[in-house]
Amino acid sequence: MGLFKKQAPHGYEGESLIEEIYGSRTEREISEIEKNAERVEAYEMMRSRKRRRGFLRAFAIILILSVLTIAVIYTGYSFLFVIDEINVVGDSPYTDAEISEGAGVNPGDKLFSFSSVKAEKLLMANLPYIGSLQVERNIPDKVTLTVKSESPVYYTEIYGKIYLMSETLRILGEGGDADLAGLTRLRLTGVKEAVFGSVPVMRNKTAQEQLQSVTECINSSSLAGRITQIDLRNIYRLEMVCDNKYLLEFGEFSEVDTKLRIASAVLEDEMFKSSNKARIDLRDLSETIVVVDNQLDFDK
């Protein structure tokens, strides 16, 4: 009788046992992975908390140091850099006390508590004869104020009052007949605003520009000391009086500087050595016409 092996059918107990073994191993591996993930997550959370605590600690240290620094600076600033001495340099019609007070700079003020630009504007508004201010701070407690004063060059009548004006047209103050010798009269119309320390404001923009440009031409002209009157009442016709004898007719307000040079050359002629009054027509640059007219009235 022959021997033979009986094979187990497919899907029998052995295969089930293998599946159970592998299944349990897979579950253990998954469980181990999950535990590792939890440990990693816990570790990362711990590191994050440490970083936050470190950041907060650093922030607190910086904040404390900043507060202490500010406190030290403020304390030092309160006791140091306090103005004790004010020196005023330059000629002016005002006293040293008037200048320092006018600029808003006083003993006891902090050395760096004020603006030089604002101090100059304030001073020029309060004391019109001051034309400029330079501020020099000398640590720890000294200030030097260097001023430059302006003198009257022009005068004009506004609202029935006589106002003295500087070369830059700033109104310096009111004046009387005794103050007008040697000054150039400006005949204006349509003045909107006149404030001490400032240039008159005209109602007409063109008139404002003409006032500025014409006086600048005069200031740089060789006739600057000889022009006794400038008539700006008509924006289409400019006239000046020279030496209180000669009426210079410019016509329009164009090429004023050129016409002034022509007038200066013409007045060198011998015919102008006499006491005769004359009209000098400068309207045509190619031809200057001179007419003797002793009936001229410059106050009309």
Side-chain angles (χ1 to χ4, degrees):
M1 177 173 175
L3 297 176
F4 65 92
K5 294 181 179 179
K6 186 176 182 181
Q7 296 184 7
H10 182 71
Y12 196 54
E13 294 180 0
E15 185 175 342
S16 298
L17 181 59
I18 292 171
E19 290 178 353
E20 290 177 3
I21 292 170
Y22 280 103
S24 61
R25 182 181 300 172
T26 301
E27 290 176 357
R28 286 195 301 274
E29 290 176 351
I30 291 173
S31 176
E32 189 66 27
I33 291 171
E34 290 176 347
K35 289 178 181 179
N36 289 336
E38 291 175 356
R39 285 194 292 270
V40 170
E41 183 178 359
Y43 176 73
E44 292 295 332
M45 290 178 64
M46 180 181 66
R47 287 187 60 189
S48 178
R49 284 195 294 270
K50 286 183 177 180
R51 283 197 297 268
R52 284 198 297 271
R53 284 197 297 269
F55 173 78
L56 292 174
R57 187 179 298 111
F59 178 76
I61 292 172
I62 293 172
L63 181 61
I64 291 170
L65 290 175
S66 299
V67 171
L68 289 175
T69 302
I70 293 172
V72 170
I73 292 173
Y74 178 77
T75 302
Y77 184 71
S78 299
F79 293 98
L80 298 175
F81 309 129
V82 176
I83 297 175
D84 181 61
E85 181 181 338
I86 300 175
N87 298 315
V88 177
V89 180
D91 296 327
S92 79
Y94 307 107
T95 65
D96 291 358
E98 288 175 329
I99 290 173
S100 61
E101 291 175 8
V105 181
N106 300 289
D109 293 343
K110 299 296 185 295
L111 192 63
F112 299 99
S113 64
F114 63 93
S115 163
S116 299
V117 175
K118 290 182 179 179
E120 181 181 48
K121 290 181 179 179
L122 183 62
L123 180 61
M124 292 171 65
N126 290 331
L127 306 178
Y129 277 85
I130 299 298
S132 66
L133 168 68
Q134 289 185 339
V135 178
E136 181 182 353
R137 295 173 171 86
N138 302 292
I139 294 173
D141 57 6
K142 295 181 182 179
V143 172
T144 299
L145 305 177
T146 302
V147 297
K148 183 179 180 181
S149 61
E150 291 189 317
S151 302
V153 174
Y154 302 101
Y155 75 92
T156 190
E157 296 178 20
I158 304 175
Y159 309 130
K161 296 182 179 180
I162 295 176
Y163 291 90
L164 307 180
M165 303 168 67
S166 70
E167 185 178 78
T168 57
L169 300 179
R170 293 176 56 247
I171 297 176
L172 304 179
E174 294 184 20
D177 292 340
D179 304 311
L180 307 184
L183 304 186
T184 300
R185 181 185 183 186
L186 293 177
R187 305 192 73 175
L188 308 175
T189 188
V191 177
K192 179 181 179 181
E193 183 179 284
V195 178
F196 289 175
S198 300
V199 176
V201 178
M202 313 298 289
R203 290 191 178 91
N204 186 291
K205 182 180 178 181
T206 299
Q208 187 82 51
E209 294 172 351
Q210 289 173 346
L211 171 62
Q212 193 71 44
S213 63
V214 168
T215 52
E216 286 177 357
C217 289
I218 291 293
N219 294 339
S220 61
S221 170
S222 61
L223 294 177
R226 299 173 62 184
I227 299 296
T228 54
Q229 179 174 292
I230 305 173
D231 192 342
L232 296 155
R233 292 174 294 176
N234 188 331
I235 62 173
Y236 302 106
R237 186 185 68 214
L238 172 63
E239 293 181 344
M240 298 184 194
V241 177
C242 181
D243 296 336
N244 279 322
K245 294 192 298 181
Y246 310 116
L247 179 63
L248 310 182
E249 299 175 327
F250 288 75
E252 296 181 352
F253 285 75
S254 59
E255 300 184 271
V256 174
D257 53 346
T258 301
K259 293 174 181 178
L260 281 170
R261 286 196 295 270
I262 293 173
S264 178
V266 169
L267 289 170
E268 294 295 324
D269 194 279
E270 287 294 326
M271 68 175 292
F272 296 101
K273 303 300 181 183
S274 69
S275 60
N276 289 326
K277 294 181 180 180
R279 295 176 180 270
I280 302 177
D281 189 342
L282 302 163
R283 287 174 291 183
D284 186 348
L285 294 178
S286 64
E287 181 182 20
T288 302
I289 301 174
V290 178
V291 178
V292 175
D293 185 355
N294 286 309
Q295 302 301 314
L296 284 173
D297 183 358
F298 302 126
D299 292 324
K300 287 185 178 180

